Amino acid sequence: MRQNRMILPTLREVPKEAEVISHKLMLRAGLVRQLAAGVYTYLPLGLRVLKKVENIVREEMNKSGAQELMMSVLQPAEVWHNTGRWDDYGPELVRLKDRHDRDFVLGPTHEEVITALIKDEINSYKKLPINVYQIQTKFRDERRPRFGLMRGREFLMKDAYSFHTSWESLNETYDQMYKTYNSIFSRLGLNFRPVEANAGAIGGSGRNHEFMVLADVGEDTIATCTHCDYAANLEQATAHLEYAAAGVAPSADAPVFEKIHTPNTKTIDQLVSSLGVEASSFFKTLLYIIDGKTVAVVVRGDHEVNELKLKGLFDAKSVELADDATIERVTGAPTGFIGPVGLKGVEVIVDEAIANAGAGFAGANERDYHLQNVVPSRDFAAGRVADVRNVLEGDTCPKCKEGKIEFYRGIECGHIFELGTKYSVPVGATYLDENQKAQTMIMGCYGIGVSRIMSAVLEQSNDDNGIIWPMPIAPFQVHLIPVNVKDETQVKVAEQLYARLQQQGVEVLLDDRDERAGVKFKDSDLIGLPVRVTVGKKAEEGIVEFKVRKTGESQELTLEQAFEEILGLVLGH
Amino acid sequence: MRQNRMILPTLREVPKEAEVISHKLMLRAGLVRQLAAGVYTYLPLGLRVLKKVENIVREEMNKSGAQELMMSVLQPAEVWHNTGRWDDYGPELVRLKDRHDRDFVLGPTHEEVITALIKDEINSYKKLPINVYQIQTKFRDERRPRFGLMRGREFLMKDAYSFHTSWESLNETYDQMYKTYNSIFSRLGLNFRPVEANAGAIGGSGRNHEFMVLADVGEDTIATCTHCDYAANLEQATAHLEYAAAGVAPSADAPVFEKIHTPNTKTIDQLVSSLGVEASSFFKTLLYIIDGKTVAVVVRGDHEVNELKLKGLFDAKSVELADDATIERVTGAPTGFIGPVGLKGVEVIVDEAIANAGAGFAGANERDYHLQNVVPSRDFAAGRVADVRNVLEGDTCPKCKEGKIEFYRGIECGHIFELGTKYSVPVGATYLDENQKAQTMIMGCYGIGVSRIMSAVLEQSNDDNGIIWPMPIAPFQVHLIPVNVKDETQVKVAEQLYARLQQQGVEVLLDDRDERAGVKFKDSDLIGLPVRVTVGKKAEEGIVEFKVRKTGESQELTLEQAFEEILGLVLGH
C-alpha cells in the first residue's frame, strides 16, 4: 500500500490521555483513535493487525474441530432473566430498550444465547460433543475504561462454547482448548503463562485457566513457581501448608494469654513498632458480611484476606467488610481491637496458615487492649479452617513443594472454563441419551480477547523508538522507503521492488511521501514493520539498505540480494 | 466439513413466521435462526455465505483503491447532535445510556463519526481525495422487522465514505464506485439494476443510485425503460412530458366552466362511474401540510402524488395530508369536493402533466358539486408547476423519449450518494488548499447491505426443492454423499475423494450421517450446493453419480472423471 494517501497519522508527541506504553504506541503509530472512553476506531494499520490476530485464532480454532457461527450483539433480556444474570451482572451489563419498550442487552458474553440455541437444535447424544465459536464485537460498561484496547467498553472477542454428555468428554475438549490456546499465543509471538484462575462472573464448577501475557502493566498478579510449572492467578494461588503454618513465632507451650495495654494502637504496623515484634506474630481478625451474615476471618498479621476464596468458601454472592458500627456491636470494641478470643455470635474462619500455629498476639475485643500468648488451637475455636489468604512471594510451591512462589504481572488475554451445568440447568438444555432418557448437557466455554491482544503485543514488543512487530501479525511485512521521491532513479528502483515483492505475496508499505528522510525514518521506527528497505543515493548502483527492526542490524545489499533476503524472512523460502 | 457433527438443522416443515421464500429457505436449510424480531444467529452454513459475500465486497473495494478501517458500534450522542440527526432520525435510531447516564447511539450509519475523524486527521489538499470503508454490524430499530435478513434490526453493512477538494473529484470517485458496485453485484451472480433514487435520511445534494436486485418480494418499485437503460426508483422516476401532458382529454377551446351536481360523489372512481368519463379527465386536488403550511396539489385523476418529490420541492422536513377539519376550513367544503378553482390562501402546486392540459373536471369547493370544462392555464393559477407525481407503466421514457416505462419490484442492496457538504459543514471538516486557505471537504458515501444480499440471492436462486447457490458464494462447493455409511466401500471411496478434493482447495461438505438415502437427498437439494457427488452401490466399480444442482443434470462418472469435472467447475482448471 502507498503511504501517501493512507490514513496513517503518526504523532511525535506522547498523547496525554495514554498512561501505558501500548496505549501511547497505538495512538502515536496511527493504529487507533478514541471516539469515547473505551471506544475506538481502528485505522487501516490497526485493522490489519486485528485481522491477522483474528485469523490466527480462527485457523487454530478450526484446526481443533470447532465450528464457527455468529450470534447477535442484541440479546433479549429474557435469556438473562432465565439464568439470573440480569440481576447478578451489575452495571457492566449494557442495557437498553427497543421502540416497543422491550429490554435488551448488548452481549458481553453469549452463554445464555448459545445454550438456548443448542437446546433447540441438538436433541441427541449422537450429535455431541460439539464446540462452536464466534469472533464478534462485545460490550462491557467498565467503570473505568483505560489503557487503550486493554480495558475497553467495546472490544473484539473470540468466544467458544462446548456441549457434552459427560465430564470426561468435557475434560477432553478442555485439554484440547488448552493446547489450542498455547498454539495461538505461541504463534502470536507472545511471552505468556497459562495459570489457574478464579471463574468470576462466568462461573462453573470445574477447572479454569487464564492465559496471561506477562507485562508490568498487567492488572493481574500471577504466582509462579521458581522450580516447576505451577502458575496461578493470585486470587487462586495456594502455598504448601507446612511451610506457611510455621510462620507464627513464639513457642507451643506458651503461658496463659493475658491482656496488654495498647492505647490507640490499631494497625498491625503500629503494633509492630510499639511492641517490637514481627507482623507474622499477630492473629489479624477481620469482620465480613457474607450474604448478610457476619463472619470473623483470622489470618496471620502479614497476610491478606483473599475475598474471592472467602466467596468460594461460602458459595456466596456478596462479600463485604463490616462497617464500624457492626464491629462495635459484635465485638464491643472499636475497629482495631478485634480478636478471635471470646468472640460470640459469629462464625470464625481461621486461615490454614495459623490453624496449628504457636502463640501470638490478637485484639482483646476491648478498646486499647490486645492479648499476648494467644494459641489458636487452645484459646479460640474455628468454625472452619480454610485457605482464605493471598500467598506471598517466597511461600513454598503447593505443587512441587520445593520451589518458591514468585510474582509476575500479567494481562489476561484468554480464559477457559469447565462450566458444568451452570447454564444448561436453568436454560433446560437437555439431550436424549442411548435409552431415550433426557439428560442435562455439560458445558465448557473458552474466550480470547482479540483486540486486547494488540495491547499485550505492544507491551512486549517495543523499544524507545517505537513498535517492533512480530512477523505473524505485522500490519505489513516490509517498509520500503525511497529517500527522495523527487529522485527518478530512487522512485523507479523502489517502484520495481514494490511490484516484484507484491507479486510474491509480500505485504509492502511504500513510503511515497514527499517528506524529509529524517521524518520518514522516525515514522518507520515508530510503525515498526519487521523489515525496512531504504532506497537512497546508491540506487544508481543497484544498492539498497536492508534493515531488521528487531535487531537494528543493517546492511547494504544488491536489489537481488534484498529481494531474496525478504522472501526468506517473510515467506520462509 | 463433516455434516454429522455440524450444526445444520434442516426443517421439512415451512416455518410459520416466514412469509417470503428467502426467509423460508434460510430457516429450512439451517442458515440462520431468529433470536428476537429482526435479530438473527448465523449458523455455520449461513456464516460461510456471509463471509463469502463480505470477501467479494472487500476485494472489489480494495481494487478500487478504498482503504478499510473499522469504526465502533457505540457512538456518543454529541456527534449526532452536531448534524441534527439526533432529532431527525426518529425512533429507528437505537439509543441508550451508559452507567454515567451519557447518551449513546448504536450506529445505523457512520457519516458523523467518519467526518469527525477525517476532520482531525487530514488537513491538507495533498491527502485528498480518499475513500475509506468498513464492513460492520449496524443497528436500526425497524418498526416492522420482517422477511428474515431483508429487513432486520441488526445487520451487516459495508459503508464507504469519500472526501474531496472538488465536485469533479467526487464525480470521479462516484463513477468508480458505480463501476465497483456493478462488479460486486455481477460477481455475486445477481440479476440487478442500478437506479436513480431518492437520498432519504442520508441526504446529499448530488447524484444517488440504488442497486436493486430484481425480485417480486422487493419492497421498492423500479421504473425502467423498454428501450434504453433508464432505471429509477418509483419515488424518483420521471416521464417524458409531451406525452404525459396530452393525457387530459376534451379540447383546448372549451366553454366557460360550470357547476354540476354530484351528490355524495367523492372519489375519482365514483365520479368516473357516475359521469361516464375517464379518470384522466379529472384534476384531482389534495391538501397537504408541508412543514406546517397548507398547500394544494393538483394532479391528473389517474395519477398519484409523490410525496417525496413534494418534500424535495419544498426542501421540507415533513409532508402530511391535511385532515378533514383543515380541508373544510380552507375550502369551505368537505373532503371529496376540493378543486383548484377559486381556492384562496394556499399555494397551489400543479403537476407538470396537467399544466398545459385541456378542459377537465374538478371539485367545486362546495358540498355535492364539481365543475366541468375547467382549463388549467385559464381557470386557475399555479403557484408552481412541478413534477410531483408517480410515473405510470406505459409513460414515455424521460431519457430516450422512445421506450415505455415498465415496473419491476426490487430489493435495495446498495446505495451510493454524492453527499456534497451536508456533513462536512456541521462537523467543520475543512482542509487547507494550495494557498493555505481553509476549504470545506466535499463528500460521497456508498453502502451495501451485506447480510441483506443473502436474502436477495435466495429470492433469485431457488426451485421447489430448495436453494440453488451460485458458485461464488456457495457455503460449500461440493456435497459428497456416501449413500450408506455402513457400507465400507462407499465410506472408503467417499473419504478418499473428500481428502483429495480438500487438498486441491475445494470446499466439500461430506454427508457422513447415518440417515436414509431419501433424507440425505432431500437435505442436499434443500441446502443446494452447486455440485453433488453420490457414492452408492457402484462405488465398487469406481463409479459415482455427479449432479449439477442448477440444471439437475446427472451422470455416472469414474472417480477420476468426477474429480476432474469438479476441479473444472469449481476452480476453473
Side-chain angles (χ1 to χ4, degrees):
Chain A
M1 194 171 279
R2 290 166 191 279
Q3 201 168 336
N4 196 30
R5 282 292 166 78
M6 195 170 166
I7 306 190
L8 203 175
T10 54
L11 306 174
R12 286 284 159 275
E13 303 292 318
V14 177
K16 274 185 213 147
E17 73 261 37
E19 298 167 61
V20 299
I21 185 75
S22 58
H23 191 191
K24 288 173 189 168
L25 285 173
M26 65 178 62
L27 291 174
R28 287 192 55 210
L31 302 178
V32 301
R33 286 294 179 264
Q34 181 178 295
L35 178 63
V39 179
Y40 289 85
T41 292
Y42 294 86
L43 299 183
L45 207 64
L47 183 61
R48 291 179 73 96
V49 177
L50 192 73
K51 291 272 176 201
K52 288 198 173 185
V53 175
E54 186 181 320
N55 278 336
I56 287 175
V57 171
R58 177 174 290 117
E59 281 174 20
E60 295 297 322
M61 288 302 294
N62 288 348
K63 209 184 282 178
S64 82
Q67 298 174 47
E68 188 175 4
L69 45 65
M70 193 165 72
M71 291 175 271
S72 55
V73 166
L74 287 172
Q75 302 182 8
E78 294 81 58
V79 301
W80 285 74
H81 284 302
N82 283 348
T83 59
R85 288 210 293 179
W86 174 265
D87 298 316
D88 294 349
Y89 212 90
E92 288 191 358
L93 190 62
V94 182
R95 297 155 209 251
L96 69 153
K97 285 178 185 292
D98 74 358
R99 66 193 294 160
H100 305 296
D101 220 36
R102 290 192 205 98
D103 285 314
F104 279 83
V105 153
L106 300 187
T109 178
H110 282 66
E111 282 81 9
E112 281 81 358
V113 174
I114 191 67
T115 309
L117 179 81
I118 296 298
K119 171 196 171 167
D120 288 345
E121 305 301 342
I122 291 190
N123 308 310
S124 163
Y125 73 98
K126 288 183 198 162
K127 287 288 202 176
L128 298 174
I130 56 158
N131 189 9
V132 297
Y133 77 97
Q134 61 176 350
I135 298 177
Q136 192 237 22
T137 302
K138 298 271 189 292
F139 298 83
R140 199 183 290 149
D141 200 354
E142 293 282 352
R143 193 167 53 87
R144 204 184 148 204
R146 58 179 179 159
F147 299 170
L149 302 183
M150 214 176 302
R151 191 162 284 283
R153 298 200 284 178
E154 175 171 343
F155 50 95
L156 194 66
M157 285 267 305
K158 185 282 296 174
D159 45 329
Y161 307 89
S162 68
F163 297 81
H164 308 268
T165 58
S166 69
W167 273 92
E168 291 67 39
S169 167
L170 169 59
N171 290 164
E172 264 175 45
T173 297
Y174 187 89
D175 291 342
Q176 172 66 57
M177 281 295 102
Y178 187 93
K179 270 187 219 156
T180 296
Y181 274 44
N182 274 291
S183 304
I184 289 170
F185 286 95
S186 300
R187 278 186 66 185
L188 291 168
L190 287 164
N191 182 12
F192 71 99
R193 290 291 288 266
V195 307
E196 294 174 13
N198 188 286
I202 303 293
S205 47
R207 294 178 286 172
N208 78 90
H209 283 89
E210 285 171 342
F211 283 75
M212 288 287 188
V213 174
L214 304 188
D216 290 341
V217 303
E219 300 186 82
D220 294 280
T221 300
I222 310 165
T224 65
C225 174
T226 52
H227 185 71
C228 75
D229 67 352
Y230 178 75
N233 194 309
L234 180 59
E235 296 169 344
Q236 200 70 5
T238 58
H240 181 49
L241 195 58
E242 275 79 351
Y243 165 79
V248 171
S251 81
D253 46 6
V256 173
F257 67 81
E258 53 185 343
K259 271 206 288 195
I260 51 174
H261 193 216
T262 51
N264 288 318
T265 316
K266 297 180 175 180
T267 67
I268 298 286
D269 281 351
Q270 290 166 345
L271 288 162
V272 161
S273 67
S274 75
L275 300 177
V277 294
E278 297 290 314
S280 60
S281 52
F282 290 89
F283 301 119
K284 184 164 66 175
T285 309
L286 295 99
L287 276 197
Y288 277 93
I289 310 295
I290 299 180
D291 283 355
K293 190 182 140 200
T294 310
V295 174
V297 179
V298 191
V299 295
R300 216 171 69 181
D302 59 333
H303 286 167
E304 297 296 330
V305 173
N306 180 317
E307 296 184 0
L308 274 166
K309 289 184 180 175
L310 210 50
K311 201 171 177 181
L313 184 68
F314 282 84
D315 196 13
K317 287 198 171 172
S318 104
V319 169
E320 287 170 45
L321 273 171
D323 60 17
D324 289 350
T326 306
I327 289 170
E328 196 130 9
R329 183 173 50 74
V330 171
T331 70
T335 313
F337 301 96
I338 321 176
V341 181
L343 203 56
K344 294 212 175 92
V346 295
E347 182 179 5
V348 179
I349 303 297
V350 171
D351 183 57
E352 288 179 340
I354 53 162
N356 299 312
F361 297 87
N365 295 324
E366 185 177 341
R367 183 189 292 269
D368 293 343
Y369 284 95
H370 279 79
L371 303 178
Q372 64 181 359
N373 291 319
V374 170
V375 177
S377 47
R378 187 188 70 185
D379 300 330
F380 61 91
R384 264 187 279 183
V385 173
D387 173 15
V388 290
R389 68 161 181 123
N390 286 336
V391 299
L392 296 181
E393 279 198 295
D395 280 356
T396 302
C397 170
K399 187 169 176 186
C400 69
K401 301 180 179 61
E402 292 187 30
K404 302 286 175 201
I405 292 293
E406 54 183 13
F407 286 174
Y408 289 95
R409 304 293 289 178
I411 303 167
E412 182 200 340
C413 288
H415 203 159
I416 60 179
F417 303 79
E418 289 185 343
L419 290 174
T421 58
K422 179 178 157 101
Y423 297 93
S424 45
V425 164
V427 174
T430 59
Y431 62 94
L432 296 178
D433 67 11
E434 291 87 335
N435 306 314
Q436 298 296 305
K437 229 188 103 186
Q439 304 282 1
T440 298
M441 293 185 194
I442 293 166
M443 291 175 59
C445 77
Y446 319 93
I448 285 185
V450 176
S451 44
R452 182 181 284 181
I453 281 174
M454 241 171 92
S455 288
V457 168
L458 292 186
E459 286 294 333
Q460 289 193 344
S461 300
N462 66 77
D463 64 14
D464 290 346
N465 297 319
I467 302 171
I468 304 171
W469 285 113
M471 188 67 85
I473 56 170
F476 295 90
Q477 293 145 347
V478 175
H479 208 169
L480 179 56
I481 307 183
V483 175
N484 179 357
V485 294
K486 284 169 182 155
D487 180 308
E488 277 181 32
T489 310
Q490 288 182 23
V491 169
K492 196 177 135 199
V493 167
E495 289 284 350
Q496 279 172 353
L497 188 55
Y498 182 56
R500 275 188 79 190
L501 287 170
Q502 288 197 313
Q503 222 163 27
Q504 294 294 320
V506 178
E507 297 166 2
V508 185
L509 181 63
L510 176 69
D511 189 352
D512 56 345
R513 294 176 304 162
D514 184 9
E515 292 281 3
R516 283 176 297 112
V519 170
K520 290 185 167 196
F521 292 142
K522 265 205 155 24
D523 278 348
S524 178
D525 280 341
L526 176 59
I527 292 169
L529 304 181
V531 174
R532 179 203 296 176
V533 176
T534 307
V535 182
K537 285 185 181 153
K538 291 198 178 167
E540 290 180 14
E541 307 157 43
I543 302 287
V544 296
E545 191 205 35
F546 177 91
K547 190 173 177 182
V548 175
R549 175 70 180 89
K550 190 170 183 177
T551 60
E553 282 166 25
S554 84
Q555 46 184 327
E556 294 196 335
L557 296 179
T558 66
L559 272 168
E560 212 46 42
Q561 285 170 330
F563 182 72
E564 291 300 329
E565 198 71 23
I566 290 168
L567 293 195
L569 268 177
V570 172
L571 307 176
H573 285 179
Chain B
M1 193 168 283
R2 288 167 193 278
Q3 198 168 340
N4 196 29
R5 284 292 165 80
M6 195 170 166
I7 306 190
L8 205 174
T10 54
L11 306 174
R12 286 285 160 274
E13 301 293 316
V14 178
K16 274 185 211 146
E17 73 261 38
E19 298 168 63
V20 299
I21 185 74
S22 57
H23 191 190
K24 288 174 190 169
L25 285 173
M26 62 178 65
L27 292 174
R28 288 191 56 210
L31 303 177
V32 302
R33 285 296 179 262
Q34 181 177 297
L35 177 63
V39 178
Y40 288 85
T41 292
Y42 294 87
L43 298 184
L45 207 66
L47 183 60
R48 291 179 73 97
V49 176
L50 192 73
K51 293 272 177 201
K52 289 199 173 185
V53 175
E54 187 182 321
N55 278 336
I56 288 175
V57 172
R58 178 174 288 118
E59 280 174 20
E60 295 297 324
M61 287 303 292
N62 289 347
K63 207 183 283 177
S64 82
Q67 298 173 47
E68 187 174 5
L69 45 65
M70 194 166 70
M71 291 174 272
S72 55
V73 167
L74 286 172
Q75 302 182 7
E78 293 82 58
V79 302
W80 285 74
H81 284 303
N82 283 347
T83 59
R85 288 209 293 180
W86 174 266
D87 298 316
D88 294 350
Y89 212 92
E92 289 191 358
L93 189 62
V94 181
R95 298 155 210 248
L96 69 153
K97 287 178 186 291
D98 74 0
R99 67 194 291 160
H100 306 295
D101 219 36
R102 290 191 205 100
D103 285 314
F104 279 83
V105 152
L106 300 186
T109 177
H110 281 67
E111 283 80 10
E112 281 81 0
V113 174
I114 191 67
T115 309
L117 179 82
I118 297 297
K119 170 195 172 172
D120 289 343
E121 304 301 343
I122 291 191
N123 308 309
S124 163
Y125 73 97
K126 288 182 197 163
K127 288 288 202 175
L128 297 174
I130 56 160
N131 189 9
V132 296
Y133 76 98
Q134 62 177 350
I135 298 176
Q136 194 236 23
T137 303
K138 298 271 190 290
F139 298 83
R140 200 184 289 149
D141 200 354
E142 294 282 352
R143 193 167 54 87
R144 204 184 149 204
R146 57 180 179 160
F147 298 171
L149 302 183
M150 214 176 304
R151 191 163 284 281
R153 296 200 286 177
E154 175 172 342
F155 49 96
L156 194 66
M157 284 265 308
K158 185 283 296 176
D159 44 328
Y161 307 88
S162 69
F163 296 82
H164 309 268
T165 59
S166 69
W167 273 92
E168 290 69 38
S169 167
L170 169 58
N171 290 162
E172 266 174 44
T173 297
Y174 187 89
D175 290 343
Q176 172 64 59
M177 282 295 101
Y178 187 92
K179 270 187 220 157
T180 297
Y181 274 44
N182 274 292
S183 305
I184 289 170
F185 286 95
S186 298
R187 279 186 64 186
L188 291 167
L190 286 165
N191 181 13
F192 71 99
R193 290 292 287 263
V195 307
E196 294 173 14
N198 188 285
I202 303 291
S205 46
R207 294 178 287 172
N208 79 88
H209 284 89
E210 285 172 341
F211 284 74
M212 289 286 189
V213 174
L214 304 188
D216 289 341
V217 302
E219 300 187 83
D220 295 279
T221 300
I222 309 164
T224 65
C225 174
T226 52
H227 184 70
C228 74
D229 66 354
Y230 178 75
N233 194 309
L234 181 59
E235 295 170 345
Q236 200 71 6
T238 59
H240 180 51
L241 195 57
E242 275 78 351
Y243 163 80
V248 172
S251 81
D253 44 12
V256 172
F257 67 82
E258 53 183 345
K259 276 206 284 197
I260 52 174
H261 194 215
T262 52
N264 290 318
T265 317
K266 295 179 176 183
T267 67
I268 298 289
D269 280 354
Q270 290 167 343
L271 288 162
V272 161
S273 67
S274 76
L275 300 176
V277 294
E278 296 292 312
S280 61
S281 52
F282 290 89
F283 302 119
K284 180 164 69 176
T285 308
L286 296 99
L287 275 198
Y288 276 93
I289 309 296
I290 299 181
D291 282 356
K293 193 180 139 200
T294 310
V295 174
V297 180
V298 191
V299 295
R300 217 171 71 182
D302 58 335
H303 287 165
E304 295 297 330
V305 173
N306 178 318
E307 296 185 1
L308 273 166
K309 289 183 180 176
L310 210 50
K311 201 172 177 181
L313 184 68
F314 281 84
D315 195 12
K317 288 197 172 173
S318 103
V319 169
E320 286 170 46
L321 273 172
D323 58 17
D324 289 351
T326 306
I327 290 169
E328 192 127 13
R329 182 171 52 73
V330 170
T331 71
T335 313
F337 301 96
I338 321 177
V341 180
L343 203 55
K344 293 211 175 94
V346 294
E347 183 178 6
V348 179
I349 303 297
V350 171
D351 183 59
E352 289 179 341
I354 53 163
N356 301 310
F361 296 86
N365 295 323
E366 187 178 339
R367 182 188 293 268
D368 291 343
Y369 283 97
H370 280 77
L371 302 178
Q372 64 182 357
N373 291 319
V374 170
V375 177
S377 47
R378 187 187 71 182
D379 301 329
F380 60 91
R384 267 187 278 185
V385 172
D387 174 14
V388 290
R389 69 160 180 121
N390 286 336
V391 299
L392 295 182
E393 281 198 293
D395 280 356
T396 302
C397 170
K399 188 170 175 187
C400 69
K401 303 180 178 62
E402 292 187 29
K404 301 287 176 201
I405 293 292
E406 53 183 13
F407 287 173
Y408 290 94
R409 302 295 289 178
I411 304 168
E412 182 201 340
C413 289
H415 203 159
I416 60 178
F417 302 81
E418 290 185 341
L419 289 173
T421 58
K422 178 178 158 99
Y423 297 92
S424 45
V425 163
V427 174
T430 60
Y431 63 93
L432 296 178
D433 67 12
E434 291 87 335
N435 308 313
Q436 299 297 305
K437 229 187 106 187
Q439 304 282 2
T440 299
M441 293 183 193
I442 293 165
M443 290 174 60
C445 78
Y446 319 93
I448 285 184
V450 175
S451 44
R452 180 180 286 182
I453 280 174
M454 242 170 91
S455 288
V457 168
L458 292 186
E459 286 295 333
Q460 288 193 344
S461 301
N462 66 76
D463 64 14
D464 289 345
N465 296 320
I467 302 171
I468 303 170
W469 285 113
M471 187 68 84
I473 56 171
F476 295 90
Q477 293 145 347
V478 175
H479 209 169
L480 179 56
I481 307 183
V483 174
N484 180 357
V485 294
K486 285 170 182 155
D487 179 309
E488 277 181 34
T489 310
Q490 290 183 24
V491 169
K492 196 176 134 199
V493 165
E495 289 284 349
Q496 280 172 352
L497 188 56
Y498 182 55
R500 274 186 81 188
L501 287 170
Q502 287 197 316
Q503 222 163 29
Q504 294 294 320
V506 177
E507 298 167 1
V508 185
L509 180 63
L510 176 69
D511 189 350
D512 55 345
R513 296 176 302 163
D514 183 11
E515 293 280 4
R516 281 177 297 114
V519 169
K520 290 186 165 194
F521 292 142
K522 266 207 155 24
D523 278 347
S524 178
D525 280 341
L526 176 59
I527 291 169
L529 304 182
V531 174
R532 178 201 297 176
V533 176
T534 307
V535 182
K537 286 188 182 152
K538 290 197 178 167
E540 290 181 16
E541 308 157 42
I543 301 287
V544 296
E545 190 206 36
F546 177 92
K547 187 172 179 183
V548 176
R549 175 70 180 89
K550 190 169 182 176
T551 60
E553 283 166 23
S554 83
Q555 44 185 326
E556 294 196 338
L557 296 178
T558 66
L559 271 169
E560 213 45 44
Q561 286 171 330
F563 182 72
E564 291 300 329
E565 197 72 24
I566 290 168
L567 293 195
L569 267 178
V570 173
L571 308 175
H573 286 180

